[in-house]
Amino acid sequence: MVCTSGLVVAPLLVVFVGSQVLVTISIVQGIREQLQKRAPPFATYTWIEDDVPEYFPVSGGPTLVLTSIEESVRYGIQEPEAYYEWAYNAPVGEGGNVRLGPNHRLFVTSFAHQLHCLLTFRTLLNDEGIPDGRALHHSEHCLSFLRQHTLCAADTTLEPDDTFSRNFTSQRVIADRKCVRTESYYETTRDMWMEWVAFKHRSTNTSL
Ligand SMILES: *[C@@H]1O[C@H](CO)[C@@H](O)[C@H](O)[C@H]1NC(C)=O
Protein backbone atom coordinates (compact mmCIF):
# COMPACT_ATOMS: atom_id res chain seq x y z
CA MET A 1 0.00 0.00 0.00
CA VAL A 2 2.78 2.35 1.05
CA CYS A 3 4.78 1.23 -1.96
CA THR A 4 1.93 1.93 -4.37
CA SER A 5 1.29 5.42 -3.04
CA GLY A 6 5.08 6.00 -3.08
CA LEU A 7 5.11 5.12 -6.79
CA VAL A 8 2.41 7.69 -7.44
CA VAL A 9 3.91 10.38 -5.22
CA ALA A 10 7.51 10.09 -6.44
CA PRO A 11 6.90 11.30 -10.03
CA LEU A 12 4.68 14.09 -8.69
CA LEU A 13 7.50 15.09 -6.34
CA VAL A 14 9.94 15.15 -9.27
CA VAL A 15 7.56 17.36 -11.28
CA PHE A 16 7.03 19.62 -8.27
CA VAL A 17 10.75 19.98 -7.48
CA GLY A 18 11.51 20.43 -11.19
CA SER A 19 8.96 23.22 -11.54
CA GLN A 20 10.33 24.91 -8.40
CA VAL A 21 13.83 24.76 -9.87
CA LEU A 22 12.57 26.34 -13.11
CA VAL A 23 10.74 29.08 -11.18
CA THR A 24 13.89 29.77 -9.13
CA ILE A 25 16.04 29.93 -12.29
CA SER A 26 13.63 32.36 -13.93
CA ILE A 27 13.56 34.55 -10.80
CA VAL A 28 17.36 34.59 -10.64
CA GLN A 29 17.50 35.42 -14.37
CA GLY A 30 14.98 38.23 -13.84
CA ILE A 31 17.01 39.69 -10.97
CA ARG A 32 20.21 39.40 -13.04
CA GLU A 33 18.57 41.21 -15.98
CA GLN A 34 17.37 43.98 -13.68
CA LEU A 35 20.84 44.31 -12.14
CA GLN A 36 22.41 44.50 -15.60
CA LYS A 37 20.04 47.36 -16.48
CA ARG A 38 21.17 49.33 -13.42
CA ALA A 39 23.62 52.11 -14.06
CA PRO A 40 27.08 51.32 -12.71
CA PRO A 41 27.98 53.10 -9.47
CA PHE A 42 29.35 56.61 -9.81
CA ALA A 43 32.77 55.60 -8.49
CA THR A 44 33.38 53.52 -11.64
CA TYR A 45 33.52 56.58 -13.91
CA THR A 46 36.65 58.61 -14.57
CA TRP A 47 34.49 61.67 -15.45
CA ILE A 48 36.89 62.40 -18.30
CA GLU A 49 35.42 63.12 -21.76
CA ASP A 50 32.68 60.53 -22.52
CA ASP A 51 33.30 58.35 -19.45
CA VAL A 52 30.33 59.79 -17.56
CA PRO A 53 26.92 58.36 -16.58
CA GLU A 54 24.02 58.68 -19.00
CA TYR A 55 21.49 59.97 -16.48
CA PHE A 56 21.41 62.31 -13.54
CA PRO A 57 21.11 60.22 -10.36
CA VAL A 58 17.68 60.84 -8.86
CA SER A 59 17.59 59.55 -5.30
CA GLY A 60 15.35 56.50 -5.18
CA GLY A 61 15.22 56.39 -9.00
CA PRO A 62 12.39 57.76 -11.16
CA THR A 63 8.94 57.04 -9.74
CA LEU A 64 5.64 57.61 -11.51
CA VAL A 65 2.78 59.54 -9.93
CA LEU A 66 -0.72 60.33 -11.17
CA THR A 67 -0.67 63.93 -12.43
CA SER A 68 -3.47 66.06 -13.84
CA ILE A 69 -2.78 67.70 -17.17
CA GLU A 70 -5.00 70.74 -16.85
CA GLU A 71 -5.73 74.27 -17.90
CA SER A 72 -4.45 76.81 -15.42
CA VAL A 73 -4.78 80.48 -14.68
CA ARG A 74 -1.07 80.27 -13.79
CA TYR A 75 1.78 80.30 -16.28
CA GLY A 76 0.42 83.13 -18.35
CA ILE A 77 2.50 85.50 -20.45
CA GLN A 78 1.70 89.05 -19.42
CA GLU A 79 0.51 88.80 -15.81
CA PRO A 80 2.82 90.52 -13.30
CA GLU A 81 3.49 87.20 -11.54
CA ALA A 82 4.02 85.24 -14.78
CA TYR A 83 7.81 85.60 -14.79
CA TYR A 84 8.10 84.14 -11.29
CA GLU A 85 5.65 81.34 -12.00
CA TRP A 86 7.71 80.18 -14.98
CA ALA A 87 10.99 80.72 -13.12
CA TYR A 88 9.63 78.64 -10.23
CA ASN A 89 9.81 75.56 -12.50
CA ALA A 90 13.57 75.93 -12.82
CA PRO A 91 15.57 73.76 -10.42
CA VAL A 92 17.45 75.48 -7.60
CA GLY A 93 20.91 76.80 -8.39
CA GLU A 94 21.95 77.48 -11.93
CA GLY A 95 18.59 76.68 -13.53
CA GLY A 96 19.20 72.96 -13.92
CA ASN A 97 22.97 72.91 -14.25
CA VAL A 98 24.45 70.27 -12.01
CA ARG A 99 28.01 69.55 -10.90
CA LEU A 100 28.96 65.90 -10.73
CA GLY A 101 32.04 63.83 -10.01
CA PRO A 102 35.29 64.62 -8.19
CA ASN A 103 36.04 67.60 -10.46
CA HIS A 104 32.53 69.05 -10.11
CA ARG A 105 32.03 68.74 -13.83
CA LEU A 106 29.20 70.85 -15.21
CA PHE A 107 26.16 69.16 -16.83
CA VAL A 108 22.64 70.21 -17.67
CA THR A 109 19.77 67.73 -17.49
CA SER A 110 17.69 67.53 -20.64
CA PHE A 111 14.38 68.34 -19.00
CA ALA A 112 15.82 71.44 -17.28
CA HIS A 113 17.12 72.53 -20.68
CA GLN A 114 13.61 72.05 -22.13
CA LEU A 115 12.08 74.10 -19.30
CA HIS A 116 14.68 76.78 -19.94
CA CYS A 117 13.52 76.93 -23.59
CA LEU A 118 9.88 77.36 -22.53
CA LEU A 119 10.95 80.14 -20.15
CA THR A 120 12.74 81.82 -23.05
CA PHE A 121 9.61 81.70 -25.22
CA ARG A 122 7.50 83.22 -22.45
CA THR A 123 9.94 86.10 -22.18
CA LEU A 124 10.03 86.62 -25.95
CA LEU A 125 6.22 86.55 -26.25
CA ASN A 126 6.05 89.20 -23.55
CA ASP A 127 8.73 91.37 -25.15
CA GLU A 128 7.90 94.02 -27.69
CA GLY A 129 9.07 93.59 -31.26
CA ILE A 130 10.37 90.61 -33.16
CA PRO A 131 13.47 88.87 -31.83
CA ASP A 132 16.66 89.28 -33.84
CA GLY A 133 20.32 88.56 -33.47
CA ARG A 134 21.19 86.39 -30.50
CA ALA A 135 17.58 86.19 -29.24
CA LEU A 136 16.43 84.95 -32.67
CA HIS A 137 19.19 82.37 -32.84
CA HIS A 138 18.40 81.21 -29.30
CA SER A 139 14.68 80.80 -30.11
CA GLU A 140 15.51 78.82 -33.24
CA HIS A 141 17.72 76.52 -31.19
CA CYS A 142 14.98 76.14 -28.54
CA LEU A 143 12.21 75.46 -31.10
CA SER A 144 14.22 72.76 -32.81
CA PHE A 145 15.39 71.31 -29.50
CA LEU A 146 11.78 70.98 -28.24
CA ARG A 147 10.67 69.60 -31.61
CA GLN A 148 13.23 66.82 -31.41
CA HIS A 149 12.47 66.01 -27.80
CA THR A 150 8.73 65.82 -28.55
CA LEU A 151 9.49 63.41 -31.38
CA CYS A 152 11.93 61.52 -29.18
CA ALA A 153 9.28 60.92 -26.51
CA ALA A 154 6.58 60.23 -29.20
CA ASP A 155 3.85 60.10 -26.56
CA THR A 156 0.98 58.29 -28.25
CA THR A 157 -1.63 58.85 -25.52
CA LEU A 158 -5.06 59.33 -27.09
CA GLU A 159 -6.49 62.66 -25.99
CA PRO A 160 -10.14 63.82 -26.20
CA ASP A 161 -11.01 65.84 -29.31
CA ASP A 162 -12.85 68.65 -27.50
CA THR A 163 -9.88 70.89 -26.70
CA PHE A 164 -11.45 73.91 -28.40
CA SER A 165 -15.06 73.37 -27.34
CA ARG A 166 -14.38 72.58 -23.68
CA ASN A 167 -15.49 74.93 -20.90
CA PHE A 168 -12.17 75.37 -19.12
CA THR A 169 -13.79 76.85 -16.02
CA SER A 170 -15.82 73.76 -15.26
CA GLN A 171 -13.70 71.15 -17.09
CA ARG A 172 -10.13 72.10 -16.31
CA VAL A 173 -8.58 68.64 -16.28
CA ILE A 174 -7.72 67.35 -19.74
CA ALA A 175 -6.37 64.02 -18.51
CA ASP A 176 -4.82 62.26 -15.54
CA ARG A 177 -1.48 60.85 -16.49
CA LYS A 178 1.25 58.82 -14.89
CA CYS A 179 4.19 61.20 -14.86
CA VAL A 180 7.69 61.11 -13.44
CA ARG A 181 7.72 62.50 -9.91
CA THR A 182 9.90 65.56 -10.42
CA GLU A 183 10.13 66.49 -6.73
CA SER A 184 12.92 63.90 -6.24
CA TYR A 185 14.85 65.56 -9.05
CA TYR A 186 14.41 69.05 -7.59
CA GLU A 187 15.42 67.81 -4.13
CA THR A 188 18.56 66.06 -5.39
CA THR A 189 19.52 69.09 -7.53
CA ARG A 190 19.05 71.39 -4.52
CA ASP A 191 21.23 69.17 -2.30
CA MET A 192 23.94 69.01 -4.97
CA TRP A 193 23.77 72.76 -5.43
CA MET A 194 24.29 73.26 -1.67
CA GLU A 195 27.29 70.91 -1.81
CA TRP A 196 28.72 72.88 -4.74
CA VAL A 197 28.25 76.20 -2.95
CA ALA A 198 29.93 74.75 0.18
CA PHE A 199 32.80 73.42 -1.95
CA LYS A 200 33.28 76.80 -3.66
CA HIS A 201 33.23 78.48 -0.26
CA ARG A 202 35.85 76.06 1.10
CA SER A 203 38.07 76.48 -2.01
CA THR A 204 37.89 80.27 -1.81
CA ASN A 205 38.78 80.21 1.87
CA THR A 206 41.65 77.78 1.30
CA SER A 207 43.16 79.83 -1.53
CA LEU A 208 43.09 83.01 0.55
C1 LIG B 1 -18.46 77.54 -18.05
O1 LIG B 1 -18.65 77.03 -16.76
C2 LIG B 1 -18.85 78.03 -15.76
C3 LIG B 1 -18.89 77.35 -14.40
O2 LIG B 1 -19.75 76.24 -14.40
C4 LIG B 1 -20.10 78.83 -16.09
O3 LIG B 1 -20.32 79.85 -15.13
C5 LIG B 1 -19.97 79.46 -17.48
O4 LIG B 1 -21.15 80.09 -17.85
C6 LIG B 1 -19.61 78.38 -18.51
N1 LIG B 1 -19.30 79.03 -19.77
C7 LIG B 1 -19.89 78.72 -20.91
C8 LIG B 1 -19.43 79.47 -22.12
O5 LIG B 1 -20.73 77.84 -20.98
Side-chain angles (χ1 to χ4, degrees), residues 165-171:
S165 57
R166 180 190 296 263
N167 181 338
F168 286 123
T169 313
S170 54
Q171 299 167 277

Side-chain angles (χ1 to χ4, degrees), residues 7-74:
L7 282 177
V8 176
V9 169
L12 281 178
L13 202 65
V14 169
V15 169
F16 176 73
V17 171
S19 68
Q20 289 305 302
V21 168
L22 287 179
V23 167
T24 310
I25 288 175
S26 75
I27 290 173
V28 169
Q29 271 174 351
I31 293 172
R32 191 173 293 155
E33 277 166 21
Q34 286 306 316
L35 287 177
Q36 276 166 354
K37 277 190 217 158
R38 266 193 343 179
F42 264 30
T44 59
Y45 295 102
T46 60
W47 300 90
I48 295 166
E49 297 195 345
D50 290 343
D51 191 24
V52 291
E54 201 177 349
Y55 297 103
F56 175 79
V58 173
S59 48
T63 37
L64 297 181
V65 286
L66 210 56
T67 309
S68 289
I69 308 292
E70 59 185 8
E71 284 296 313
S72 173
V73 293
R74 307 279 174 208

